[in-house]
Amino acid sequence: MTPADLTLIVAAGGMSTRMGEDKRFLPMADGETLLSRTLRRGRTAGFRAIVLAAEGERRELTELAATYGAHLVTDDRPRQGPAAAIAAGLAAAETEWSLVLSGDMPFYDFDLVRALLPEARGAVQVVLPTLAGYWQPLAALYRRDAGQAFAAAIARGDRKLGIVLRGLTVRELPLAVDAGLFFNVNTPAAYRLACGRIANEGRERPILSVAAPASGTGKTTFIERLIPRLAVHGVRTAVIKSDSHGFQLDTEGKDTARFMAAGARATAISAPNGYFIQKIEDQRKDFQNLISKIEYDIDLFITESRSRGALPTLMLDRGLAAPEIDARVTALFQKDAAPHDGLLSYDLDDMETAARITLFLMGRPLYGADGIMFLTM
């Protein structure tokens, strides 16, 4: 059995209680929404059929189903959560086995299905992946007859997945994979993280901006402390600093300074341990232009700026000025951290969390329970 022998059931209920708006249609990148990204990637993965299971019909769902060749099904009873999507999806499945996947899981790796398939045999009704002991029921394989158990459970008032699963023949399969693959976009803070990671997917090398609204906040120190923590994970970094006042790196009297004073537009120094190029430009170059001039043995470009970072940005706040929180800001690191509506907030000295967030935004693996706890905040 291969993925081509399976039906993909995308569970996309639509209540979005924690998000505060319908997360299925949140914009991600290049005109895609959260749900259309999942459907596109599922179609590319080569499943025999796709079932889009939603709580109710609406024009946007019908259009998405038509675009990706999916069969739209709706819940028999409203407000029953993922259990209803599983029941309706399995009832419509064209194959004996189906992958049930949450529609808000934008980084799921469909190659993981190949690890689950060998366990789909005999009396097993559910192949349930686990990560650091946590069940992943919305990224699991279900045999078609399991849908009857979910329908019966809903009829008697049980809609919790854990309760239904305990009545089925389940094969748990522990996985040692990146916790980011099971990341759910459930909250505004999670949405910011997802947008930051997706922005880096479209770049030749990922970028992380570190910004602050005032001098003296500690951007340089923050980056200085972050770099070695990333190096432990094999991340090679380059830093690009933004300076609105202009600069002069060489000292008066040195040959290169004399050349520039004489009117040279650029000077370069070549040495056994590296090189340096200084070039005068008529206007500021953007970060991408500078990045293109740096050799590609770099895994991450970190930019330091005054509240004008690129997506994703870690904003620092020491209470010296009000930070500018816009769509580019992924997380806030504050002195005496306080909760911030719709935004992950941490202490300014919490460098371990800063490193974990950075690895996630790069698409680098996070393992173990610590990664799970971070990703489900």
Side-chain angles (χ1 to χ4, degrees):
M1 189 162 57
T2 70
D5 300 309
L6 303 174
T7 296
L8 171 63
I9 298 171
V10 178
M15 291 181 63
S16 305
T17 304
R18 297 171 62 195
M19 183 64 70
E21 61 181 299
D22 195 333
K23 62 185 175 182
R24 297 174 298 183
F25 304 104
L26 290 172
M28 303 305 289
D30 298 327
E32 279 193 323
T33 64
L34 179 58
L35 182 55
S36 65
R37 174 183 167 93
T38 302
L39 290 168
R40 173 185 59 81
R41 297 177 71 243
R43 175 55 67 194
T44 302
F47 291 87
R48 176 176 294 182
I50 298 178
V51 174
L52 176 57
E55 183 167 295
E57 291 190 22
R58 56 181 287 182
R59 176 180 54 81
E60 294 89 343
L61 292 173
T62 303
E63 292 175 353
L64 275 179
T67 298
Y68 295 101
H71 175 42
L72 176 62
V73 297
T74 57
D75 301 349
D76 291 334
R77 295 172 58 184
R79 308 185 70 83
Q80 299 302 306
I86 295 173
L90 289 174
E94 298 180 5
T95 55
E96 183 69 6
W97 284 90
S98 298
L99 172 69
V100 172
L101 184 70
S102 177
D104 65 355
M105 202 175 284
F107 308 114
Y108 180 77
D109 184 353
F110 285 95
D111 284 343
L112 291 179
V113 175
R114 300 184 185 280
L116 306 181
L117 285 173
E119 309 303 326
R121 63 182 189 274
V124 172
Q125 294 174 290
V126 183
V127 181
L128 181 63
T130 67
L131 192 60
Y134 289 81
W135 285 4
Q136 303 298 322
L138 293 179
L141 293 185
Y142 291 82
R143 204 170 71 190
R144 188 160 41 197
D145 62 356
Q148 300 167 13
F150 282 93
I154 291 171
R156 65 175 181 264
D158 291 332
R159 62 187 185 92
K160 291 187 177 180
L161 299 188
I163 292 175
V164 185
L165 287 170
R166 288 186 176 90
L168 294 167
T169 305
V170 176
R171 169 71 170 96
E172 292 187 32
L173 184 64
L175 297 177
V177 298
D178 176 13
L181 303 182
F182 297 95
F183 178 79
N184 291 102
V185 181
N186 282 327
T187 65
Y191 175 54
R192 286 178 178 269
L193 281 171
C195 288
R197 178 160 167 161
I198 289 174
N200 275 329
E201 285 182 353
R203 296 170 174 145
E204 195 160 354
R205 291 292 186 276
I207 296 173
L208 174 74
S209 292
V210 175
S215 297
T217 301
K219 298 189 299 292
T220 300
T221 300
F222 188 90
I223 294 171
E224 186 179 41
R225 298 172 67 191
L226 179 61
I227 288 172
R229 284 172 169 81
L230 296 175
V232 170
H233 297 276
V235 177
R236 299 164 297 181
T237 55
V239 181
I240 299 175
K241 179 179 175 63
S242 176
D243 194 320
S244 60
H245 304 293
F247 68 95
Q248 180 65 43
L249 291 178
D250 219 337
T251 56
E252 185 177 357
K254 291 290 186 180
D255 290 349
T256 49
R258 293 169 62 187
F259 298 149
M260 297 297 283
R265 296 284 291 179
T267 60
I269 299 173
S270 177
N273 61 339
Y275 64 88
F276 166 74
I277 298 174
Q278 180 176 343
K279 187 174 186 295
I280 295 175
E281 297 284 0
D282 296 326
Q283 59 186 10
R284 181 195 295 267
K285 294 294 185 182
D286 62 26
F287 291 141
Q288 284 300 140
N289 183 278
L290 298 176
I291 286 169
S292 69
K293 300 181 185 303
I294 300 176
E295 292 180 350
Y296 281 146
D297 59 351
I298 302 300
D299 300 308
L300 173 69
F301 288 91
I302 301 175
T303 71
E304 179 186 342
S305 63
R306 175 81 66 83
S307 297
R308 296 186 182 275
L311 175 67
T313 291
L314 303 185
M315 179 64 70
L316 311 187
D317 177 21
R318 197 179 288 275
L320 302 178
E324 179 184 343
I325 305 299
D326 60 18
R328 297 168 296 183
V329 177
T330 300
L332 180 65
F333 286 81
Q334 304 170 279
K335 196 63 180 175
D336 303 319
H340 194 285
D341 187 34
L343 182 65
L344 293 174
S345 300
Y346 303 99
D347 188 86
L348 191 57
D349 293 320
D350 189 354
M351 300 310 302
E352 291 304 318
T353 295
R356 288 202 306 274
I357 290 177
T358 302
L359 291 169
F360 175 79
L361 294 171
M362 294 178 65
R364 287 292 183 101
L366 291 166
Y367 294 102
D370 187 56
I372 287 287
M373 286 188 288
F374 157 62
L375 292 172
T376 53
M377 291 185 65

